[in-house]
Structures are given as C-alpha cells and as structure tokens.
Amino acid sequence: MHLLIQFDYFSNPVSYDVSEIVSTSESELELMAYERVIQPGEPQRRHTAEKVPLIKPTSFLQEPLDKRYGVFLIFGYLGLSSLLPWNFFITAKKYFDYKFRNTSLPSNVSFDDDVHTVQMQKDFESYLAIVSNGSNLLFMILTVLLVRKISVKVRVVSSTLLIVVIFVVTCSLTEVNTDTWQNGFFIFTLVMATFMSGCQSVLTGSVLGLSAVFPPIYSQSTMIGQAAGGTFSALCSILTHATGGDPITSGLIYFLIATVVTILSLVAFLGLHFMEFSRYYMVSLISDVNKINEELVSHDTINVKRFFHVILKKTWMYCLSVCLVFLVTLSVFPAVCSLIKSEGTEKNSWTDTYFTPVGCFLLFNVWDFLGRLFTFICKFPGSQRPGLLLFFTVLRIGFIPLLMLCNVQPREHLPVYLKNDAYPMVLISLLGLTNGYFGTLCMTFGPLNAEDEHLEGTGIVLALAMTIGLAGGSALSFLFVNLI
C-alpha cells in the first residue's frame, strides 16, 4: 500500500509517495518542509511561508526558476529608482539655495551662511515638505482606489515617463538665469515637486503592490533597493562637499543621474514581461484581477468596501506597525537630526562641513540599508506574532525625546543633556537600523496570508499605511523642532 502526501506550493498541488520521500536527500526534504498542506475548502494562496527559497529545483516545482536572480535584482533596482529621484531633489539643497539667494550680495560673500540667508531660502524646504507629503498621500490614496481599475503596467509606465519629463525640465532650468524671476521660479519648482512626488507615490505603491504578488523575498528586495537609493544620494552629497563643486554643476549632476536612473527603471520593469519567472506570477495577477472584476461587476461601491475590508481585517496590525515605524522616523529625521551640531570646540572640516552629511544622513541611510538586509538572516518576532511586532514599533517612540535632548541648535526651551557626539551618532544608527528592519518585516509579512486576488491590493494598502506615516511624521517634525 502506498501512502500519498499532498503539498501545495504557490497554488500548484503536488503529491508525493512516502517511498519516494524515504529516498529523498536531506536538502530536498528541507525544501519540501517549506511547503504547506492545503486544507479542504481553504482558498489557494500563492505564498504563505516566511522562508521561501530564492532558487528552487524544477524536480519539485512546476513553476520556472528565477535565473541568475534576475527578477530579484530588478525589484531591488525598481525600489531604488522609486525613491532616488526625490532623494536627489532634496539633496540639491545648495543648488536651490543659490537660485533663491540674495542677488545683491558681492561675489566674494557666501550666499548660504546664516548671516546672509534670505526668507525664501529658509522657507523653501518647509514648503517643499508640505506640498510633497500632501501630494504623496493624495496620489497614494488614488492608487489604492484605482488598483482594480488601472493595470499595474499603465500605472508604472505613465508615472515613470512623467518623472522623466519633470527631471528633463528641471535639468534645463539649471542653465537658465532665474535671478530676475525668483518668485516665479520658486512657485514653479514647488509645482514640479508636487507632480513629481505624486508620480513617485504612484510608482512606489505600484511596485510594492506588484512585489507582493511574488514570494516574500521580492518585497524585501524592493525595500532594500529603497534604502540603497538613500545611501547613494547621501554619498553623492558628501562627494559634492569634498570636491567643492559649484552649486549649478552639482544640481545638474544630481538631476541628470536621477533622469538616467528613472529611464533605466522603465527598461527594467518592461523586462519583467519577457522573463519566464516574472510572467508566471504577473499572468496570474492579471487573471485574478479580471476574475474579481468580472464577479464584482455590479454594486461597485459595496464591493470596493468589501475588497479593502478583507485586506484590512488580516493586515491591520502590520498596517499600523509600518505607519508607526515611518511616523517616528520622519518626526525626527531629517528635521531634528540635521540640526544636531558637533560638540567639538575646534573649528575644522569635521565640525563645519562633514558632521551633518556623515553623522546624520550617511549614518542613518547605511544602517537603514543594513537593517533591511538583516531581514534575510533574522525575522524575529515572526509572521505569527504581529502584536509583538507592533509592540516593538511603539518602543521606537523613545527615539524622539532622546534625539531632542542632543545638541540640536538653535534651541530655546529644552536643555542639552546628551552632549557628547557619540550619543546622536549611536541614536541615529539605531533609528536607521530599526526603521529598515521593522519596516521591511511589516511589508514582507503583510501579504503572507492574503488570497491571490488580494495580493496586489494588500501591498498597496501597506504602502498607503507607510505613506500616512511619512506624512504624519513630517507634520510632527515641525512641532518637535519648535519645542526644542
């Protein structure tokens, strides 16, 4: 008598004879252990396990392989390109300070020192944060509402092309003398930033939603790519300070790099449609969306509510956690962290030039990147304990008062208790590490138990929760800076 055991992996049931399992190697048995026995009447799901091998032997699975990690690397690059343009836009601070400078200053007087800074220079970053976060949140909500009506291909291609157009225009304006129409350039730049932030929001949400359709490691790859973009922009900022390049040239370089990276991301995304492994999942996504739209063709308002009710019922803890992670981070980084000054009494290149770009921006982005990489090694507290994950994200609120008690200047209300330079550097490192680690776990665990037709929607809902956290944290940063 032969005893048959049935496994289900990504909605492909496979049966094994016990006599075959006895002769199976230990490594193959370990792969089989990742697979889950499907229960009677249970909906088929494409992935439910935390541990999913990146490359799997064809003898066990009917799906194709991700050859040479191609799809995995593409999602990492899409994650990088989804945030890199905005990172470069805000990194070009010296360029915008030059454009909004006091044009009556002599050529031998610095345009960006504290004495000669004009109101337009002071207000630009605040207005930029307001319009970008408002646009980011609005367009992410639209992406969530239109996820079943506009295909992911249309969303990604259209938003990417619009970002390219915006950066081409921005590049061309670097060589235009705007001294005679600074107010007009100020408003025009904010309008361009609004549209770019909205397009980036659609692109980021769509990429995260698409990665949720694939095994969990592809969501991890996307999140790691985003951190790599931040690290790359921080390094470019440091190199610009080191080389002492003029602000116009530095701004042009930033915008050209962002344009090239964005164009290549469009090529990479379109390449997914020609790769056997990605087509396996993307074709399933299209069929799932068509199926649910055909079944729910009537009573659209009711069905939209039901669609998102099912998603939120299973993922609300992860949505709350990822929102809280980025709310805490954005409430102090970069607004509070960038104002921390070195306690060194001697004036040198470290205290005057490199302390903020290295001790704040580079340090945070490097540890954020490492935190996201660490999720490949450790996934504590695991996907079955979302409450514990939420508890750890709540603990991160402690970073807010601790960083405010560092040497943040100028300050009017709170005393400085953590004076040594080591305190802010350690706190910023831990802030970045926990931001990358817990944020990636939330985005990875969220779609694990979602049904196939809800996978992309789950990814985008999580992206919306992340965006709400970003917007809320940016708003709180104004309050915390004024409280110091």
Side-chain angles (χ1 to χ4, degrees):
M1 182 178 64
H2 295 279
L3 177 62
L4 292 179
I5 299 179
Q6 185 182 60
F7 293 94
D8 177 86
Y9 200 105
F10 305 133
S11 70
N12 287 315
V14 182
S15 296
Y16 301 97
D17 192 298
V18 171
S19 60
E20 295 177 0
I21 295 178
V22 172
S23 60
T24 303
S25 65
E26 182 178 351
S27 60
E28 290 174 327
L29 282 173
E30 185 178 357
L31 285 175
M32 290 172 60
Y34 292 160
E35 306 184 2
R36 179 178 57 87
V37 179
I38 193 165
Q39 301 300 322
E42 183 181 357
Q44 291 186 342
R45 300 187 178 103
R46 197 169 287 116
H47 55 76
T48 57
E50 293 175 38
K51 298 175 67 178
V52 178
L54 187 57
I55 292 183
K56 299 170 277 293
T58 55
S59 60
F60 276 82
L61 300 176
Q62 299 174 10
E63 69 183 59
L65 301 178
D66 184 6
K67 296 178 181 178
R68 297 182 179 87
Y69 307 92
V71 176
F72 178 82
L73 294 175
I74 285 177
F75 271 107
Y77 185 77
L78 291 176
L80 180 147
S81 61
S82 66
L83 292 186
L84 187 68
W86 181 252
N87 284 329
F88 272 129
F89 198 83
I90 60 176
T91 301
K93 183 179 184 300
K94 193 173 183 181
Y95 163 77
F96 289 114
D97 281 344
Y98 176 80
K99 285 287 190 178
F100 303 131
R101 74 194 186 284
N102 182 355
T103 56
S104 62
L105 288 175
S107 58
N108 61 340
V109 177
S110 176
F111 60 86
D112 58 349
D113 59 27
D114 295 335
V115 178
H116 300 100
T117 299
V118 296
Q119 194 63 37
M120 198 176 296
Q121 291 173 310
K122 296 177 181 178
D123 293 342
F124 178 69
E125 286 191 320
S126 298
Y127 281 111
L128 187 64
I130 292 171
V131 300
S132 63
N133 284 298
S135 176
N136 196 10
L137 182 58
L138 174 62
F139 277 80
M140 184 61 75
I141 292 173
L142 290 175
T143 304
V144 171
L145 295 177
L146 298 176
V147 62
R148 295 191 299 137
K149 297 181 179 180
I150 301 178
S151 70
V152 64
K153 186 175 182 179
V154 172
R155 281 182 268 125
V156 171
V157 172
S158 58
S159 59
T160 303
L161 288 176
L162 285 172
I163 290 174
V164 170
V165 170
I166 290 171
F167 269 104
V168 169
V169 174
T170 306
C171 286
S172 63
L173 286 174
T174 58
E175 300 300 328
V176 175
N177 187 345
T178 59
D179 291 350
T180 58
W181 53 291
Q182 282 185 321
N183 288 329
F185 181 71
F186 185 90
I187 295 172
F188 182 78
T189 302
L190 291 178
V191 171
M192 297 292 280
T194 301
F195 282 104
M196 186 185 67
S197 181
C199 292
Q200 178 191 278
S201 181
V202 174
L203 178 60
T204 303
S206 299
V207 170
L208 287 171
L210 180 60
S211 68
V213 179
F214 289 72
I217 54 171
Y218 294 88
S219 294
Q220 290 175 263
S221 178
T222 306
M223 295 292 289
I224 291 169
Q226 291 181 351
T231 304
F232 183 50
S233 62
L235 288 172
C236 288
S237 175
I238 293 171
L239 289 175
T240 302
H241 281 88
T243 55
D246 67 277
I248 298 297
T249 303
S250 299
L252 180 60
I253 291 173
Y254 286 146
F255 302 144
L256 283 174
I257 292 176
T259 304
V260 173
V261 168
T262 306
I263 292 173
L264 292 177
S265 73
L266 181 58
V267 175
F269 172 75
L270 294 176
L272 289 175
H273 295 76
F274 297 94
M275 303 176 73
E276 188 180 5
F277 179 81
S278 53
R279 285 206 315 269
Y280 174 85
Y281 287 96
M282 294 172 76
V283 169
S284 298
L285 167 63
I286 294 171
S287 62
D288 288 336
V289 172
N290 291 339
K291 177 182 176 182
I292 194 172
N293 286 339
E294 289 172 3
E295 293 177 351
L296 306 181
V297 68
S298 60
H299 308 294
D300 190 61
T301 302
I302 297 175
N303 291 315
V304 167
K305 292 181 179 179
R306 188 173 67 184
F307 180 75
F308 291 111
H309 173 74
V310 172
I311 292 175
L312 290 173
K313 185 178 179 180
K314 295 182 179 180
T315 64
W316 70 270
M317 278 196 180
Y318 293 117
C319 290
L320 182 58
S321 296
V322 74
C323 178
L324 193 57
V325 165
F326 288 95
L327 185 143
V328 170
T329 299
L330 266 291
S331 65
V332 289
F333 179 88
V336 174
C337 295
S338 62
L339 295 176
I340 297 176
K341 305 299 181 183
S342 173
E343 281 289 333
T345 55
E346 297 182 4
K347 296 293 183 180
N348 51 48
S349 58
W350 167 250
T351 58
D352 290 347
T353 306
Y354 294 109
F355 181 79
T356 298
V358 175
C360 173
F361 290 98
L362 181 63
L363 204 60
F364 174 85
N365 283 291
V366 167
W367 281 102
D368 181 38
F369 178 72
L370 292 176
R372 301 183 191 215
L373 279 179
F374 191 60
T375 58
F376 283 106
I377 302 172
C378 175
K379 290 182 172 60
F380 179 82
S383 62
Q384 303 304 316
R385 291 183 286 181
L388 187 56
L389 180 61
L390 178 60
F391 171 73
F392 284 120
T393 60
V394 171
L395 289 181
R396 295 183 74 250
I397 297 175
F399 283 117
I400 297 174
L402 289 174
L403 285 166
M404 291 173 66
L405 293 176
C406 293
N407 187 34
V408 180
Q409 299 296 337
R411 64 194 304 126
E412 298 179 1
H413 307 291
L414 297 178
V416 177
Y417 283 108
L418 306 177
K419 296 182 179 181
N420 194 291
D421 288 352
Y423 288 117
M425 296 181 74
V426 170
L427 288 172
I428 290 173
S429 298
L430 291 174
L431 181 72
L433 178 67
T434 54
N435 180 81
Y437 181 74
F438 291 125
T440 303
L441 287 186
C442 292
M443 299 300 293
T444 303
F445 291 158
L448 280 178
N449 292 316
E451 297 175 19
D452 287 357
E453 62 267 24
H454 295 140
L455 285 172
E456 187 190 13
T458 301
I460 296 180
V461 167
L462 286 165
L464 173 62
M466 181 174 67
T467 303
I468 293 173
L470 293 171
S474 297
L476 285 174
S477 67
F478 290 102
L479 171 64
F480 294 145
V481 168
N482 290 322
L483 286 176
I484 297 175

